[in-house]
Amino acid sequence: MATLAITGGRLLRPDGTISRADVLIDQDEGTILELDDDLDGTGETTIDASNALVTPGFVNGHSHVAMTLLRGHADDKPLDTWLQEDIWPAEDELTPEDIRVGAELGLLEMIKSGTTAFADMYFEVPEIAAAVDTAGLRARLGHGVVTVAADEAAAREDAQTSIDVARELDGAADGRISTAFMPHSLTTVGEEYLDEFVPKAREIGVPIHYHANETTDEVAPIVEERGVRPLAYAAEKGMLEPEDFVAHGVHVDESEIELLAEAGTGVIHCPGSNMKLASGMAPVQRLLDAGVTVGLGTDGAASNNDLSLLDEARDAAMVGKLETGDASAVPAEAVAEFLTHGTADAIGLDTGRLEPGAAADIAVIDLDAPHLTPPHDFVSHLAYAVAAADVKHTICDGQVLMRDREVQTLDERAVCDRASERAAALVDRAAE
Ligand SMILES: [Zn+2]
């Protein structure tokens, strides 16, 4: 049995407290064997975590990882204009190889900011799965379905692809990859396709993930046409089960908050993207008060513009206070949960807690920095002050993905160079 010990650190426990403990990992099984005060010398290899915070690897509940290629391509426009003028024309030109390279860039960035698990909606998903396999992270992947502009044959093929991808890739990368059926949203996928394909997703036993109530444009048409709120419509369509999770949930009313709480459906809060696209502010504290499982997501890099969950955590706390006018809303403790097991629970991945038997998915954060001094409260630091560059080591499934800021599974220079070349060619093709 190969073993790894992480020694000398302060550990973020599942109950949100932080105390001194070493961690012993079974690298063959990818699980935590033991947490104790003195495990120094017990592992075949050791990571020194003196003056470091040892936390579960962060969990990103909603992303479009290959969109890193469009980072900085078009900014400062509202969602609809931005999608139609800039994003969709470029995405039309994406090749499978572009998506592979874009995914590698995104995964590189995730590893460098302590993220070890994520949920992702995109297309050419086998390319993304191959990148996840190489990079060593854990993921729930799905093919995003859009039927609005498609003829019937193309729309059905798109939805069937999402089911096929979910069936074929579930359990890939030695079990690190799980899947979901992913209709893009309640307004971009026709009702007949939901009626036909939601039962197919249930048959193969995968969750359903979609964008919901991101902007008022995603609410008004449903209310006008059907006389019900979007999430009541989702419930009618069988898309509001405990294993399902929606992205955004910005414009939800009290009845929808109640529906989410009763159903046990998770909401992935994406404050960076919501602010940048001026979509609005999700009522996160009210969701928490109602007992809704809330997770955190970056959304795509084109609307963020980075994939660090630490930035997202800070945004969540800040915007949560602004939305309520109450400085005690969305406190640091809630944010620490969003970063870890809160989001893992929302997207149904078994990670986010440091305890014996749990997945050895870990971020080691260097506390030896002016902006993390003095050491009053490390949960506060995690929510408000830690930055991506403070993450020193990243471990997933017991494997060291980054050691001393050096990513072990991807060639950082080569990935960045390839991504820059591919992105330039992509934007040129889209402009033709
Ligand atoms: Zn999204």
Side-chain angles (χ1 to χ4, degrees):
M1 176 175 64
T3 54
L4 166 70
I6 302 173
T7 61
R10 295 178 174 86
L11 198 88
L12 177 65
R13 311 268 181 175
D15 67 1
T17 60
I18 289 176
S19 54
R20 255 281 307 132
D22 298 340
V23 186
L24 185 64
I25 292 165
D26 175 347
Q27 293 188 285
D28 298 334
E29 291 294 321
T31 55
I32 295 172
L33 282 171
E34 208 181 337
L35 302 176
D36 212 331
D37 274 350
D38 189 15
L39 296 170
D40 205 2
T42 59
E44 276 172 46
T45 48
T46 301
I47 283 178
D48 177 18
S50 319
N51 205 15
L53 182 61
V54 180
T55 74
F58 305 135
V59 186
N60 188 344
H62 178 72
S63 63
H64 312 281
V65 70
M67 287 185 82
T68 48
L69 290 191
L70 299 174
R71 184 194 334 260
H73 165 53
D75 299 306
D76 312 323
K77 293 183 176 185
L79 179 63
D80 206 40
T81 320
W82 175 73
L83 285 173
Q84 294 192 26
E85 288 180 2
D86 305 293
I87 298 303
W88 287 340
E91 284 186 333
D92 281 346
E93 297 292 332
L94 279 169
T95 66
E97 181 62 21
D98 288 335
I99 289 176
R100 172 68 183 261
V101 172
E104 285 179 354
L105 178 62
L107 297 176
L108 188 62
E109 192 185 350
M110 286 189 185
I111 293 170
K112 295 206 83 170
S113 52
T115 295
T116 55
F118 68 104
D120 199 80
M121 177 195 288
Y122 217 54
F123 37 96
E124 304 291 353
V125 182
E127 297 293 334
I128 298 167
V132 170
D133 193 9
T134 305
L137 286 87
R138 202 177 291 285
R140 187 176 289 287
L141 306 178
H143 171 91
V145 181
V146 177
T147 68
V148 274
D151 63 32
E152 198 200 323
R156 292 193 72 247
E157 193 189 327
D158 198 23
Q160 187 60 48
T161 299
S162 192
I163 295 290
D164 292 344
V165 158
R167 190 179 45 234
E168 285 158 20
L169 291 175
D170 208 29
D174 300 322
R176 283 185 285 107
I177 293 177
S178 310
T179 58
F181 174 56
M182 298 196 183
H184 177 267
S185 77
L186 299 167
T187 50
T188 52
V189 178
E191 183 174 16
E192 62 270 40
Y193 305 107
L194 297 178
D195 287 338
E196 183 177 350
F197 289 93
V198 166
K200 290 190 181 187
R202 298 302 171 207
E203 261 167 48
I204 62 169
V206 297
I208 302 179
H209 175 48
Y210 49 101
H211 297 90
N213 303 44
E214 178 177 357
T215 62
T216 49
D217 290 344
E218 284 189 1
V219 176
I222 293 174
V223 173
E224 273 161 34
E225 268 170 51
R226 303 171 191 281
V228 294
R229 297 284 304 178
L231 292 177
Y233 170 59
E236 270 173 32
K237 296 290 126 191
M239 297 166 66
L240 217 61
E241 295 298 319
E243 65 271 31
D244 300 339
F245 56 107
V246 304
H248 300 296
V250 173
H251 301 279
V252 289
D253 73 0
E254 287 305 323
S255 72
E256 290 175 297
I257 293 176
E258 226 168 90
L259 262 182
L260 287 163
E262 276 168 23
T265 301
V267 174
I268 306 301
H269 179 36
C270 304
S273 172
N274 297 155
M275 286 193 282
K276 185 163 186 252
L277 296 167
S279 302
M281 292 186 277
V284 173
Q285 188 59 51
R286 277 189 290 144
L287 289 164
L288 291 174
D289 291 344
V292 176
T293 307
V294 178
L296 203 55
T298 57
D299 213 350
S303 63
N304 192 307
N305 284 0
D306 66 66
L307 301 182
S308 170
L309 274 179
L310 289 157
D311 288 354
E312 222 58 35
R314 193 167 188 269
D315 287 349
M318 301 294 192
V319 82
K321 296 168 202 318
L322 192 63
E323 192 261 335
T324 52
D326 175 3
S328 71
V330 194
E333 296 75 25
V335 166
E337 265 190 51
F338 293 165
L339 280 169
T340 57
H341 58 87
T343 305
D345 291 351
I347 68 173
L349 291 183
D350 195 7
T351 180
R353 290 175 176 84
L354 299 184
E355 55 195 7
D361 299 353
I362 296 171
V364 179
I365 296 160
D366 189 3
L367 294 169
D368 188 13
H371 65 280
L372 303 176
T373 305
H376 284 310
D377 180 343
F378 295 113
V379 174
S380 162
H381 284 356
L382 189 60
Y384 293 111
V386 173
D390 301 319
V391 178
K392 200 171 178 192
H393 314 287
T394 304
I395 292 126
C396 182
D397 201 31
Q399 309 307 308
V400 181
L401 307 188
M402 178 172 75
R403 187 185 274 271
D404 289 313
R405 298 290 301 156
E406 185 98 12
V407 175
Q408 308 289 303
T409 50
L410 295 166
D411 179 339
E412 183 170 346
R413 188 68 268 147
V415 168
C416 290
D417 288 348
R418 269 203 303 273
S420 291
E421 274 167 34
R422 289 248 157 211
L426 171 68
V427 170
D428 284 350
R429 288 201 301 280
E432 271 167 19

